[in-house]
C-alpha cells in the first residue's frame, strides 16, 4: 500500500543540525522525539523501523539514565521495536533495563545477555505479567528479598503451593513482604495463616474462616 504524505515521517533536519552542534546536548531530546514519533506512526513498515533503529542505536549509548528509562518504558511494550534497540536499553542498566525486562513481549537471549545477571535482573523479571508457575517457583527459590517483594507485588504472578509457602515463611520476619501478601485478594486466606498477627481485623476474620473451612473438610475419625 502506498504511503500518503500524512504517513511520511516529519522533516527533522533542524533537530539533526542541532544535534551536531557540540555546544548543545540535543541527543536526549532527539531520541525522545523520535521515540514518540515511532510510537505514534500509523504504519511501521520496514523502512520506518530500520531508520528508527539506526538513529536510536546511535543515540542510546550517549543519553543519560533518566532519558533511557523514559524511552525504554515507551518502546519495550511495542512488538515492532527492534531487538537491537531494546538490547542497548537493557545494557544501559537501572530503570531502562528493568523496563525492558518487565515490559518486553518476548525476552530473547540477546536481551538477557545485554541485561547481565544478578538479583536485580531476577526482580525485574519477577514483575512480568506472563509468568508461569514453573518460573514463579524457580524465582521463589532464590531467597532474594527484592525478588520476593517483586513476586508479592505482581498480582498477575500465580503464587501457590510451595512458592507461596516460601514467601509466607519469609514474610513472618519481613513486615513489608507480609503487608504485600496480605493485601492480595487472590491468595487463599487460609494459606496466609502464619501471618495472622500481622493481618488487620478483616483479614484475620477471613483467615479464621478459611482455617475452619479447611478443618471441616478433613476426614473425621469414628
Amino acid at each position: 500500500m502506498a504511503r500518503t504524505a500524512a504517513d511520511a515521517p516529519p522533516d527533522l533536519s533542524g533537530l539533526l543540525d542541532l544535534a551536531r552542534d557540540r555546544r548543545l546536548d540535543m541527543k536526549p531530546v532527539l531520541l525522545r522525539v523520535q521515540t514518540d514519533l515511532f510510537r505514534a506512526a500509523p504504519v511501521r513498515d520496514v523502512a520506518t523501523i530500520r531508520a528508527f533503529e539506526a538513529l536510536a542505536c546511535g543515540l542510546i549509548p550517549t543519553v543519560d539514565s533518566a532519558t533511557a528509562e523514559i524511552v525504554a518504558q515507551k518502546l519495550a511494550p511495542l512488538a515492532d521495536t527492534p531487538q537491537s534497540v531494546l538490547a542497548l536499553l537493557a545494557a544501559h542498566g537501572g530503570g531502562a533495563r528493568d523496563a525492558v525486562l518487565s515490559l518486553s513481549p518476548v525476552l530473547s537471549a540477546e536481551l538477557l545477555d545485554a541485561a547481565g545477571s544478578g538479583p536485580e535482573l531476577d526482580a525485574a523479571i519477577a514483575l512480568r505479567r506472563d509468568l508461569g508457575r514453573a518460573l514463579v517457583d524457580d524465582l521463589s527459590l532464590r531467597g532474594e528479598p527484592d525478588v520476593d517483594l517483586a513476586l508479592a507485588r505482581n498480582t498477575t504472578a500465580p503464587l501457590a503451593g510451595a512458592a507461596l509457602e516460601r514467601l509466607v515463611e519469609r514474610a513472618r520476619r519481613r513486615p513489608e513482604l507480609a503487608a504485600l501478601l496480605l493485601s492480595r485478594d487472590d491468595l487463599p486466606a487460609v494459606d496466609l495463616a502464619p501471618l495472622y498477627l500481622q493481618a488487620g481485623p478483616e483479614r484475620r476474620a477471613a483467615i479464621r474462616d478459611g482455617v475452619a473451612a479447611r478443618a471441616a473438610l478433613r476426614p473425621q475419625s469414628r
Side-chain angles (χ1 to χ4, degrees):
M1 182 177 68
R3 297 176 63 178
T4 66
D7 294 334
D11 182 7
L12 298 177
S13 56
L15 279 177
L16 291 172
D17 290 339
L18 287 174
R20 298 188 186 100
D21 189 339
R22 295 184 179 181
R23 296 170 299 176
L24 299 173
D25 185 11
M26 294 295 295
K27 297 182 183 68
V29 176
L30 181 57
L31 179 60
R32 291 179 63 172
V33 169
Q34 283 287 348
T35 296
D36 289 340
L37 291 174
F38 183 75
R39 290 183 67 207
V43 177
R44 300 191 195 104
D45 56 17
V46 174
T48 299
I49 293 173
R50 287 181 177 174
F52 176 74
E53 180 179 17
L55 182 61
C57 287
L59 292 175
I60 288 171
T62 71
V63 300
D64 58 278
S65 58
T67 298
E69 181 176 356
I70 292 171
V71 169
Q73 290 173 346
K74 294 179 177 181
L75 293 178
L78 301 181
D80 291 337
T81 302
Q83 289 287 293
S84 58
V85 172
L86 294 179
L88 284 175
L89 289 168
H92 220 287
R97 177 205 58 206
D98 293 350
V100 170
L101 293 178
S102 60
L103 300 175
S104 178
V106 177
L107 277 184
S108 65
E110 180 182 5
L111 295 187
L112 291 174
D113 289 343
S117 60
E120 293 182 356
L121 181 146
D122 293 334
I125 293 176
L127 291 172
R128 290 184 62 86
R129 302 182 64 84
D130 58 353
L131 295 179
R133 290 186 180 276
L135 184 52
V136 169
D137 189 67
D138 180 65
L139 289 169
S140 72
L141 287 168
R142 309 296 170 87
E144 295 289 345
D146 288 343
V147 177
D148 291 345
L149 290 173
L151 285 174
R153 190 174 288 114
N154 184 359
T155 56
T156 65
L159 278 178
L164 179 56
E165 290 178 6
R166 295 184 194 106
L167 265 62
V168 168
E169 178 60 29
R170 294 170 193 152
R172 295 174 66 182
R173 301 176 295 278
R174 294 169 52 197
E176 184 180 2
L177 180 58
L180 286 172
L181 291 173
L182 289 166
S183 68
R184 288 183 56 163
D185 56 11
D186 63 314
L187 302 179
V190 66
D191 291 336
L192 303 177
L195 305 179
Y196 183 83
L197 295 180
Q198 290 102 310
E202 292 185 5
R203 202 58 164 154
R204 287 186 178 186
I207 291 173
R208 290 195 300 270
D209 291 343
V211 171
R214 181 168 293 183
L217 295 176
R218 293 175 180 171
Q220 300 295 321
S221 58
R222 291 182 179 273

